[in-house]
Structure formats: C-alpha cells, structure tokens
C-alpha cells in the first residue's frame, strides 16, 4: 500500500481547538436523544438517572472531546443543553 | 459538567421564561424551529422591539406565547391576514409569521397566495409536519400520498401540495425548504430572509413522532430525524415544481431569491402622490 503523505497545517502546534463546558438543564429534557445521536464527537451519552419528566437526560461522557460546535444547543427542541467556551489554559 | 446549574440558557433572553418548558412532545421539531429563529435574530443583533411574531392555530401556534417579542396568536388560518394589517399599519416592523401547514395552506391558503402575489414584506416560516397534529392527526393538504393518518387508515389517496412550488408560482421573492436536522442552514436561511425586503417563505419539514410518525413506522423522534437525514437531498436553485416530498426523497434548499417592489412601498408612494395632488 502506498504511504500517504498528509499535509499538515503550519501552525498545528500553536492552534488549539476550543474547549467547552457543557451545561444540561436536566428537568427540561424530554429525552428525545437528538443531542446524543448528532454530536459529531460523541461527547454525550444517556444517563441512568430519571428526571422530573420520567426520562433519562443525557450526561457528559468525556468533556475534553467537546470542540464547542454547539450543534447540541441548536438541535435541542427543549432549550435544555448549552455549551460555554472555556477560557484557554495558560493563555492563547 | 454542570458545576453551575443556575447559569441560564443563552436563548432565554428571547423567551418568556414563565412559559418554558413548552408543551411540545418529545422529539417534536417545533422547538428546533423556534431556536433557529431566535438564533437568527440574535446573530443579526436585531432590536426585538421591532419584530412582531404572528402565529395561527396548531401546535406551532404557541410560539407567539413563547417568544419575548410583540406577538399575537390569531384565529385559525388568519395569521397572514393579521400580519398584513400589522405591516401596513406600521411598515417599520419586521413581521414574521410562524405557523403550520394546516393553518397556512388549508384554511389560510387563499391568504397565503394573495399575500405572496402582492409581495407584502412579511416573512413566513411554515412548520410542515404532514398532518393536523394538535387535533389528533387528521390528514391535511401536505400529507404525502399513501401515508397513514387517523382519517386515512388505508393510506392517503390525495396528492399533497408542493408548498415551495406554490409559493414560487404565487410570486414570493424568497423561497426555501429545509428540515429540522439542517439547523445551521435553516438559521442562515432565516437570517437571509429577515434581511431581505419582500414576501419570504421557508418551509421546514418537522418530525411529528407522536401523531404522524407512529402511524408510519417511525415511532420515535430519532427514527423520524434519521429518515429525514437519509432521504433529504440539497439542490439549491433547482426547479421548485420538481422539488418533491415523498417517502424516498425530499428535495431541500433555496429555490427562489429575487427582488421585486413590495406592496407597502407602492401603497405609501401612491398615497403620497395622491396627497400631493398628482392623482393620475
């Protein structure tokens, strides 16, 4: 198999993807599962707990994978999840 | 994770907090449409005092109560008629009609085609869930052929409306169709429509798992969304007459984007001309 040479951005070491802090308003969640299904980085998963509405709200599996695309916020019909960008550690 | 549970949702500024959480079912697309509209208004940094949101009867009619802007929940089918009055009385306002397919195209069909013909500067966002969700899932003017609803238990025998083709043929200056899964494109499209002058129309295909989906082998919202993901094809500026909505294929995208003098500008020009004594 030929070795593929991938081009690398010149500022790869300097550029850092943004890191997010995911906030879930658990009692608003109606358990449709859109945020879990359509998260491109698979950050969320269904939790075991049951909320006020009797459904399983999502929980954060690994927050460090989140790159603040905010698709979960956009696709949530219940205004129950949002992401806040964390200030970068050690200055950008 | 949720260290600070008291942090408010960024969209709450534009929502009447006392009415949230809303009553829509789990998996319903109406919340996504409302979010997209608010996001568009927020990103454009529009003055929310200069926006009037008019809605008709139906599940999505409740947006008039949820948005923290001037809003009115009109009688069945008369959202566009009311919006016409609002726009003519105060042309400074951005008038947005958010309503459903049953309201806008069944009982309100004539208001729609004539508002589009006159090219009044109102923006119409239509949530198309293929049936009358609020009253129990009767078949409506947009129910696809052979789909099952409570009043078509052996499959729908009527051909549905092609809403984008109807709007384009009636003379709308901006016509687009998206699904609730294409939230980014939908938000960008709403922004584009809000910045234009003239009659704009966006049809949003919305999942209705509880009422429509469960009779058509799509029990949950996720199944309906995955169906939309599978069958939707983006064909920008293709012929709206060929933009079908069927079980196997949904053509989405922008269809019409043009400029035309609007009704209220012509009206006020005529009033001015007549008052100056230059009648004819």
């Amino acid at each position: 198999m030929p070795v593929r040479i991938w081009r690398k951005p010149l500022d790869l070491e300097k550029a850092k993807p943004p890191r997010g802090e995911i906030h879930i308003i658990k009692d608003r969640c109606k358990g449709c599962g859109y945020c879990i299904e359509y998260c491109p980085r698979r950050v969320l998963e269904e939790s075991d707990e049951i909320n006020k509405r009797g459904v399983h709200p999502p929980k954060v599996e690994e927050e460090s994978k989140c790159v603040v695309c905010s698709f979960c916020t956009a696709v949530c019909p219940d205004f129950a999840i949002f992401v806040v960008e964390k200030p970068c550690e050690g200055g950008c | 994770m949720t260290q600070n549970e008291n942090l408010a949702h960024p969209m709450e500024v534009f929502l009447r907090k006392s009415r949230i959480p809303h009553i829509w079912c789990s998996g319903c697309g109406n919340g996504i449409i409302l979010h997209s509209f608010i996001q568009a208004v927020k990103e454009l940094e529009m003055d929310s005092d200069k926006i009037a949101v008019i809605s008709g009867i139906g599940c999505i009619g409740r947006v008039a109560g949820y948005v923290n802007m001037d809003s009115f929940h009109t009688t069945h089918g008369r959202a566009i008629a009311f919006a016409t009055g609002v726009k003519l009385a105060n042309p400074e306002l951005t008038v947005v009609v958010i309503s459903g397919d049953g309201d806008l195209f069944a009982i309100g069909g004539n208001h729609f085609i004539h508002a589009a013909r006159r090219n009044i500067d109102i923006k119409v966002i239509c949530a198309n869930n293929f049936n009358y969700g609020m009253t129990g899932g009767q078949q409506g003017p947009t129910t696809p052929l052979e789909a099952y609803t409570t009043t078509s238990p052996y499959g729908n025998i009527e051909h549905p409306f092609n809403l984008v083709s109807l709007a384009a043929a009636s003379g709308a200056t901006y016509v687009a169709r998206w699904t609730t899964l294409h939230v980014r494109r939908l938000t960008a499209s709403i922004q584009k429509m809000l910045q234009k002058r003239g009659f704009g129309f966006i049809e949003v295909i919305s999942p209705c798992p509880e009422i429509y989906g469960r009779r058509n082998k799509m029990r949950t919202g996720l199944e309906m969304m995955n169906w939309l993901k599978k069958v939707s094809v983006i064909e920008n500026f293709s012929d709206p007459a060929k933009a079908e909505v069927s079980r196997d294929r949904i053509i989405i995208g922008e269809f019409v984007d043009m400029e035309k003098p609007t009704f209220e500008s012509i009206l006020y020009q005529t009033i001015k001309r007549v008052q100056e004594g230059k009648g004819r």
Side-chain angles (χ1 to χ4, degrees), chain B residues 193-253:
Chain B
M193 181 170 75
L194 289 174
Q195 284 172 310
K196 267 181 75 79
R197 284 185 72 78
F199 190 88
F201 173 69
I202 297 179
E203 174 190 1
V204 191
I205 310 274
S206 167
C208 181
E210 292 294 328
I211 310 289
Y212 178 81
R214 65 174 175 165
R215 294 192 174 84
N216 291 280
K217 295 179 185 153
M218 288 173 282
R219 188 86 212 183
T220 61
L222 265 180
E223 278 173 60
M224 283 209 89
M225 278 290 235
N226 285 334
W227 167 65
L228 292 178
K229 188 178 169 185
K230 200 175 83 188
V231 300
S232 52
V233 185
I234 299 177
E235 283 182 15
N236 280 325
F237 297 105
S238 61
D239 185 1
K242 290 178 186 150
E244 58 174 322
V245 177
S246 66
R247 183 166 270 275
D248 310 313
R249 203 167 149 84
I250 296 174
I251 311 282
I252 57 174

Side-chain angles (χ1 to χ4, degrees), chain B:
Chain B
M1 215 178 103
T2 52
Q3 296 96 341
N4 187 357
E5 299 247 342
N6 298 323
L7 211 67
H9 194 281
M11 295 302 156
E12 237 153 59
V13 207
F14 294 96
L15 295 170
R16 281 179 227 240
K17 229 183 144 187
S18 58
R19 292 193 168 234
I20 298 292
H22 55 63
I23 61 149
W24 295 319
C25 311
S26 166
C28 175
N30 291 349
I32 305 175
I33 299 170
L34 175 58
H35 185 282
S36 292
F37 169 65
I38 292 174
Q39 175 92 27
V41 170
K42 196 181 173 188
E43 280 176 18
L44 288 177
E45 294 174 355
M46 292 172 84
D47 182 3
S48 60
D49 290 339
K50 292 262 182 239
I51 303 173
V53 178
I54 319 290
S55 70
I57 299 298
C59 293
I60 193 138
R62 297 189 72 97
V63 288
Y66 296 140
V67 288
N68 195 8
M69 300 167 186
D70 292 335
S71 58
F72 196 77
H73 193 171
T74 63
T75 47
H76 199 6
R78 308 295 171 244
I80 289 183
F82 187 89
T84 304
V86 173
K87 184 70 195 176
L88 294 186
N90 190 351
E92 301 290 302
L93 292 176
T94 303
V95 183
V96 184
V97 173
I98 304 181
S99 201
D101 54 307
D103 182 78
L104 285 171
F105 291 96
I107 187 166
N110 259 302
H111 292 300
F112 180 86
I113 57 173
H114 289 287
R117 174 178 64 83
R118 292 182 191 120
N119 193 25
I120 301 167
D121 184 22
I122 57 180
K123 323 292 181 198
V124 181
I125 300 171
C126 169
N128 182 0
N129 62 356
F130 306 122
N131 71 124
Y132 288 101
M134 186 175 254
T135 50
Q138 291 82 0
Q139 81 172 73
T142 50
T143 311
L145 202 64
E146 295 171 357
Y148 298 98
T149 63
T150 38
T151 49
S152 59
Y154 306 109
N156 183 17
I157 54 169
E158 296 175 14
H159 289 279
F161 261 142
N162 180 347
L163 302 185
V164 287
S165 179
L166 181 70
S170 308
T173 53
Y174 183 79
V175 179
R177 177 196 279 150
W178 300 107
T179 77
T180 46
L181 189 62
H182 300 80
V183 265
R184 297 267 186 251
R185 289 170 199 267
L186 172 63
T187 310
S189 190
I190 294 175
Q191 282 181 5
K192 198 169 167 185
M193 181 170 75
L194 289 174
Q195 284 172 310
K196 267 181 75 79
R197 284 185 72 78
F199 190 88
F201 173 69
I202 297 179
E203 174 190 1
V204 191
I205 310 274
S206 167
C208 181
E210 292 294 328
I211 310 289
Y212 178 81
R214 65 174 175 165
R215 294 192 174 84
N216 291 280
K217 295 179 185 153
M218 288 173 282
R219 188 86 212 183
T220 61
L222 265 180
E223 278 173 60
M224 283 209 89
M225 278 290 235
N226 285 334
W227 167 65
L228 292 178
K229 188 178 169 185
K230 200 175 83 188
V231 300
S232 52
V233 185
I234 299 177
E235 283 182 15
N236 280 325
F237 297 105
S238 61
D239 185 1
K242 290 178 186 150
E244 58 174 322
V245 177
S246 66
R247 183 166 270 275
D248 310 313
R249 203 167 149 84
I250 296 174
I251 311 282
I252 57 174
E254 288 179 342
F255 295 98
V256 178
D257 185 4
M258 59 174 182
E259 301 292 335
K260 232 179 3 180
T262 62
F263 176 70
E264 76 281 351
S265 65
I266 298 173
L267 175 77
Y268 279 96
Q269 275 167 21
T270 310
I271 291 174
K272 201 177 156 207
R273 203 181 68 221
V274 171
Q275 282 175 343
E276 282 168 356
K278 300 173 203 156
R280 293 188 188 187

Side-chain angles (χ1 to χ4, degrees), chain A residues 41-52:
Chain A
R41 303 293 293 253
R42 302 251 151 228
V43 176
L44 300 160
E45 62 175 18
E46 198 172 87
S47 65
D48 294 328
E49 65 177 300
I50 292 176
N51 72 358
K52 211 160 74 177

